[in-house]
Amino acid sequence: MLKLLHICQIIKQRIIDKVTCPSFAREVYHLKQMRRHKPLCWASDQSNQSLDFYIKKKTCEVVIQSGHVTHLKHIGDMLYEKAMSKLEESFEETSRVIYLLHVSSCVDNHDAAFVSSVILNNGVGTRQNEVAAVAYQMRSAMNDNRLSLLALAHKHRYGLDSVTHDGEQAYGYFKKVADQTQQDKNTHDPQGIYTEHIRLTDENSVNQQTDESGDLFLWLKHQAKQGVISAQISLGRLLFWGSQGVRRNLQEAVQLYRMGAEQNDPIAMFDYGIATFMGQGTEKNTTEGLSYMRKSAEMGNQYALNSMGWYAMNYERNYTRAAEYYEKAYQLGTPDAGYNLGIMHQNGWYPNKTKDLKKAYDYFAWAAAKNQMEAGISLALYNMRGLAYPRNPDFAVEWARFIAEKNPHVGMLLNKALKTYRNAEPRVSALYYLMAAECGVEVASFNFAYLCETSSEDITKYIAKDCMLRHYNLSTLREPQFVDSYALVKMGDLFWYGTSQMQPNLTKSAQYYADAAQQNDPQALFNLAILLEQNVLFPKALLAQVLPQSSHQNTYQMLVELYTRCQELSEYDSFGPCGLALYKVQVLHFWKEYNMHLVLSGVLGVVLTVLISVYLVRRSIHPRDIESSSTTHSETSQEQTLSTDNCDITIVTSQEQTTDNCENDLVTDAATPKKETERMGTTTILPVEPNLLEKEGKESKTSGDELSKKSTGHTNGTNP
């Protein structure tokens, strides 16, 4: 630290003595001969890349651009602007930009010292140096730089970056910034921005941001000109506070308030009245301002009621009237009224009541929970000193930080980061989010880690530290109400898979998912179920944190509970990831419970299927047998002929030759009864006894000639 101060003192003296740019500033200021003298800035040997040469070169450059130097801080401011423009262009020359920032910080630009500390602490395009970074921050904090004070407080709060953990030291830094925040907010600064904590994952809030050329701003401006009171009030507040990316303009805001007040709108009357009473954006006129506030209060405006109580307490010293106004506004939920009632009880001003610090504390706590800044500062002070209740330093630190992070200087960083993000410049956006994250702003840490995740190639290669792990982790260290479930899920993912600096740890991963599941995050519920399916053992406390006691009996019930909740919370329908996973678990459970029954049922089903198939095949083939049998029977019937000489009936089969004459000894159907049986729907003729067939054969042979002679013209031995 002493070495840094010594170097700065030498540089400052060189600039004063015109050593770095001999007599050049005076010549430029008096003679305005820039062209003739401009080469002098680069007259030295270009091969000499020493710090002296670089300072000389850049100092002369900014002097030429301005034409004159009114004071040293002017040089520092211009050097700072040049350094930031180079950083926005690229991180490739960061090591050279450090020189510009160093010189700028030595001539009273303390923002340059803060930026130098951010670059060195994170190793942005240059070698990391945590000790030098802390030295820059301490030097800047000595000059009351809000950002450096916040950065040191943040380091002491968690013991980061070679700084010891010290809660009370952190409180001192936070409290100093918190005390200045309300004053900075009420000071009219055209560059002032209302501090808005917007996450890049919140697309609706990102899209609501605008500027003087944005569609939302132009639409409100058009509506306000048409006399729409709501547009006049909304546009007026955007301009008065510098919110939603709009540059602050108190004069135009007060004109819009006046237009609404002339239409007797109670909200516009209050806004115009308080601005006129305080002289903000217009000439101060307490009489006119009080008149408008009183009219608004008579119409029931809660903020006007509180203002009338504030006037009665501080100007009229009429505590009875003040208490009446405050009570009415408090009943309507006005945070300022709660804070003012706390002040009355703290000082013993409440009518017919003595000083009561506990009651004052309760009012401060109520108002602070509604983002009332002064109440938050008082609450921090009560907890640090142990007023009214036992001392609680940690609680005091958190409240002091909560108020300090609303400082407009933080708001300007967040506004630049969000604007460049909307302009599709993720690397520049990451630079400003990193600066705000260095101050410990939770939403800045979250957004920087998100940019490292989504635009890793343009950012992470220039950052020495693991930006995702470091900043998602810092984001989750805040109070539960400030932590986003997305950061918890990402930390769970990092512990699941591990990183180059950390081994996988499924137990810690499950704890992060459980914390996110308490915020009803469907992804966290889904990941917990996956871990359960992989037989990861969860502590009982973790299960109680996520699942009802009734579902702790077995893994199946826990899986069904997790997937069911995930399905209910998911934006997808039943066929989304959670729904499909639930069906899979139910099917596997059914198979596990009833697999023997299913196997036996399957075997029986196969057997029945085979039998039915055989039966159907036989049924499909059988009609062909019937048709073939009928054809054979028809042909046989045509070969049967009645003999008309000595026998009445002759029986001839298809496999015998026809006899010419049977005589009387041939056994006919008339002499021998038919032996037929019905089988499968066809008629079968039983064979004749063998001895009878032999006899018939002999007789048929001897009488063949006679039969052929008696036949009527057929000589081939066959019957007609």
Side-chain angles (χ1 to χ4, degrees):
M1 181 66 182
L2 293 175
K3 182 179 179 181
L4 176 64
L5 292 174
H6 179 65
I7 294 173
C8 286
Q9 188 63 34
I10 293 174
I11 293 174
K12 183 181 292 187
Q13 191 62 40
R14 286 182 179 180
I15 294 176
I16 293 173
D17 297 339
K18 305 295 186 296
V19 173
T20 56
C21 193
S23 304
F24 185 75
R26 186 176 301 173
E27 292 179 14
V28 170
Y29 180 71
H30 291 292
L31 303 176
K32 307 294 184 182
Q33 297 175 346
M34 293 186 182
R35 290 188 178 182
R36 183 167 65 86
H37 293 281
K38 184 174 181 180
L40 293 177
C41 289
W42 291 268
S44 302
D45 184 7
Q46 292 288 335
S47 62
N48 181 11
Q49 300 297 325
S50 64
L51 176 61
D52 286 343
F53 168 71
Y54 199 71
I55 293 172
K56 175 181 177 181
K57 173 181 175 181
K58 294 305 178 183
T59 304
C60 291
E61 184 177 339
V62 297
V63 170
I64 290 171
Q65 289 177 350
S66 63
H68 67 281
V69 178
T70 57
H71 47 75
L72 290 177
K73 191 175 185 306
H74 187 201
I75 295 178
D77 293 344
M78 289 192 296
L79 286 172
Y80 173 72
E81 292 176 3
K82 181 173 287 292
M84 292 306 297
S85 65
K86 284 187 172 294
L87 275 178
E88 291 179 2
E89 290 174 4
S90 173
F91 291 156
E92 297 287 347
E93 298 183 0
T94 306
S95 58
R96 303 202 58 127
V97 171
I98 286 288
Y99 288 128
L100 285 177
L101 293 171
H102 182 76
V103 176
S104 177
S105 67
C106 287
V107 285
D108 300 331
N109 188 298
H110 306 299
D111 287 334
F114 171 72
V115 175
S116 298
S117 71
V118 174
I119 292 173
L120 292 172
N121 186 54
N122 294 276
V124 182
T126 188
R127 188 175 61 181
Q128 181 183 346
N129 190 335
E130 293 180 351
V131 176
V134 173
Y136 273 112
Q137 288 174 357
M138 291 181 66
R139 181 180 183 278
S140 180
M142 289 170 59
N143 291 278
D144 210 22
N145 182 268
R146 313 303 198 252
L147 300 178
S148 292
L149 287 168
L150 283 172
L152 289 171
H154 177 58
K155 293 179 189 298
H156 280 294
R157 177 68 181 88
Y158 296 112
L160 301 173
D161 307 327
S162 306
V163 176
T164 58
H165 173 73
D166 190 338
E168 297 198 10
Q169 184 69 30
Y171 171 79
Y173 287 122
F174 281 133
K175 180 67 163 55
K176 185 173 181 63
V177 180
D179 290 338
Q180 296 168 338
T181 296
Q182 187 65 33
Q183 180 181 355
D184 292 342
K185 186 179 177 183
N186 292 331
T187 300
H188 174 48
D189 181 3
Q191 302 297 326
I193 296 293
Y194 183 75
T195 306
E196 298 173 287
H197 294 204
I198 297 173
R199 300 185 191 278
L200 298 182
T201 53
D202 186 357
E203 295 183 1
N204 292 332
S205 298
V206 171
N207 293 332
Q208 287 177 2
Q209 296 300 299
T210 185
D211 52 33
E212 288 75 5
S213 60
D215 293 339
L216 176 60
F217 182 87
L218 295 176
W219 170 250
L220 288 174
K221 190 173 183 179
H222 171 74
Q223 293 289 92
K225 289 182 178 179
Q226 300 298 318
V228 179
I229 296 177
S230 60
Q232 293 170 348
I233 295 173
S234 298
L235 184 59
R237 290 184 173 178
L238 288 180
L239 292 167
F240 190 87
W241 296 109
S243 58
Q244 290 186 233
V246 177
R247 187 181 296 276
R248 199 173 188 185
N249 189 330
L250 267 63
Q251 288 75 18
E252 188 173 347
V254 171
Q255 292 301 316
L256 289 165
Y257 290 157
R258 183 183 58 78
M259 293 168 62
E262 291 175 350
Q263 300 182 58
N264 293 324
D265 181 81
I267 299 176
M269 291 170 69
F270 165 72
D271 289 339
Y272 179 69
I274 195 68
T276 304
F277 186 90
M278 303 297 293
Q280 296 177 326
T282 186
E283 185 179 351
K284 185 174 182 178
N285 189 330
T286 55
T287 303
E288 183 182 9
L290 185 63
S291 175
Y292 275 105
M293 286 192 294
R294 182 178 288 110
K295 290 179 181 178
S296 180
E298 291 172 354
M299 298 175 71
N301 182 276
Q302 62 190 50
Y303 299 102
L305 289 168
N306 174 75
S307 296
M308 292 305 299
W310 173 82
Y311 180 80
M313 182 178 70
N314 291 285
Y315 286 85
E316 297 177 344
R317 301 295 178 183
N318 189 333
Y319 299 127
T320 301
R321 182 182 298 175
E324 291 176 357
Y325 278 121
Y326 287 151
E327 289 291 351
K328 290 180 181 179
Y330 176 75
Q331 294 300 323
L332 294 173
T334 309
D336 289 341
Y339 168 72
N340 288 327
L341 284 171
I343 291 295
M344 295 192 76
H345 285 286
Q346 174 183 276
N347 297 323
W349 294 345
Y350 200 93
N352 304 321
K353 294 201 177 172
T354 59
K355 182 178 180 179
D356 190 342
L357 294 183
K358 288 187 176 182
K359 189 172 286 293
Y361 181 94
D362 294 339
Y363 278 115
F364 291 150
W366 180 86
K370 296 180 178 295
N371 294 327
Q372 215 284 340
M373 288 189 180
E374 290 91 342
I377 295 172
S378 298
L379 199 62
L381 182 64
Y382 269 55
N383 280 280
M384 179 55 69
R385 294 185 178 179
L387 303 175
Y389 293 99
R391 190 168 180 265
N392 190 341
D394 290 338
F395 198 60
V397 169
E398 297 308 326
W399 271 110
R401 174 166 64 173
F402 177 72
I403 302 302
E405 288 179 351
K406 296 181 178 297
N407 192 277
H409 290 77
V410 175
M412 283 187 276
L413 289 179
L414 295 177
N415 178 261
K416 288 180 180 179
L418 186 58
K419 184 173 292 186
T420 51
Y421 174 78
R422 295 180 69 234
N423 293 335
E425 299 177 79
R427 188 185 56 78
V428 181
S429 177
L431 172 64
Y432 286 107
Y433 275 130
L434 178 60
M435 292 167 63
E438 193 74 10
C439 300
V441 180
E442 184 274 329
V443 72
S445 294
F446 177 90
N447 288 343
F448 179 68
Y450 178 76
L451 288 172
C452 289
E453 176 189 355
T454 56
S455 305
S456 58
E457 294 183 359
D458 296 332
I459 300 172
T460 55
K461 65 180 180 180
Y462 296 108
I463 308 296
K465 294 183 177 179
D466 189 337
C467 57
M468 280 185 61
L469 177 61
R470 173 183 170 88
H471 289 279
Y472 272 137
N473 182 50
L474 288 173
S475 176
T476 60
L477 293 179
R478 294 297 296 270
E479 300 79 16
Q481 65 270 23
F482 296 123
V483 179
D484 191 84
S485 63
Y486 186 93
L488 293 168
V489 170
K490 287 301 175 183
M491 284 300 298
D493 293 344
L494 291 172
F495 273 103
W496 188 332
Y497 297 106
T499 65
S500 59
Q501 303 177 3
M502 180 182 65
Q503 295 296 323
N505 189 327
L506 295 182
T507 302
K508 285 188 176 181
S509 176
Q511 184 59 61
Y512 278 110
Y513 291 145
D515 293 340
Q518 286 189 302
Q519 299 185 27
N520 294 325
D521 189 289
Q523 184 65 54
L525 292 165
F526 183 84
N527 292 352
L528 277 175
I530 294 296
L531 288 175
L532 270 179
E533 290 192 64
Q534 294 181 359
N535 299 321
V536 177
L537 297 178
F538 291 171
K540 291 184 179 180
L542 187 148
L543 293 176
Q545 180 181 347
V546 179
L547 298 170
Q549 187 65 33
S550 58
S551 64
H552 292 186
Q553 298 179 5
N554 54 58
T555 302
Y556 170 71
Q557 291 184 351
M558 290 189 287
L559 287 174
V560 170
E561 176 69 21
L562 289 171
Y563 281 133
T564 301
R565 286 178 57 192
C566 176
Q567 184 179 14
E568 292 172 352
L569 295 169
S570 178
E571 60 182 357
Y572 302 102
D573 55 13
S574 300
F575 297 99
C578 299
L580 294 175
L582 177 61
Y583 296 152
K584 181 198 72 173
V585 169
Q586 291 173 335
V587 169
L588 292 177
H589 176 72
F590 185 80
W591 170 257
K592 182 178 179 181
E593 292 292 325
Y594 304 102
N595 58 344
M596 290 301 298
H597 300 82
L598 293 173
V599 170
L600 292 175
S601 301
V603 171
L604 291 175
V606 170
V607 172
L608 288 174
T609 302
V610 171
L611 293 175
I612 292 172
S613 300
V614 171
Y615 173 74
L616 294 176
V617 169
R618 289 181 60 85
R619 286 290 301 271
S620 64
I621 295 175
H622 187 65
R624 298 177 183 176
D625 294 341
I626 296 175
E627 182 179 357
S628 176
S629 176
S630 301
T631 304
T632 304
H633 180 67
S634 175
E635 292 175 354
T636 304
S637 299
Q638 292 177 2
E639 293 177 357
Q640 292 180 355
T641 304
L642 294 175
S643 177
T644 58
D645 288 345
N646 295 322
C647 59
D648 296 325
I649 300 173
T650 301
I651 300 175
V652 180
T653 63
S654 62
Q655 297 177 357
E656 297 176 346
Q657 292 182 351
T658 305
T659 58
D660 293 332
N661 189 11
C662 291
E663 301 297 338
N664 291 329
D665 56 350
L666 180 65
V667 180
T668 64
D669 289 340
T672 304
K674 294 181 179 179
K675 297 181 180 181
E676 298 178 354
T677 59
E678 295 295 332
R679 183 182 303 165
M680 296 294 291
T682 61
T683 302
T684 303
I685 302 176
L686 295 178
V688 184
E689 295 178 1
N691 57 357
L692 183 58
L693 290 175
E694 292 177 0
K695 183 177 180 181
E696 289 177 349
K698 293 178 181 180
E699 292 178 353
S700 298
K701 184 177 181 180
T702 56
S703 59
D705 295 335
E706 295 179 2
L707 288 173
S708 61
K709 292 178 182 180
K710 293 179 181 181
S711 62
T712 57
H714 295 279
T715 61
N716 58 358
T718 58
N719 293 327

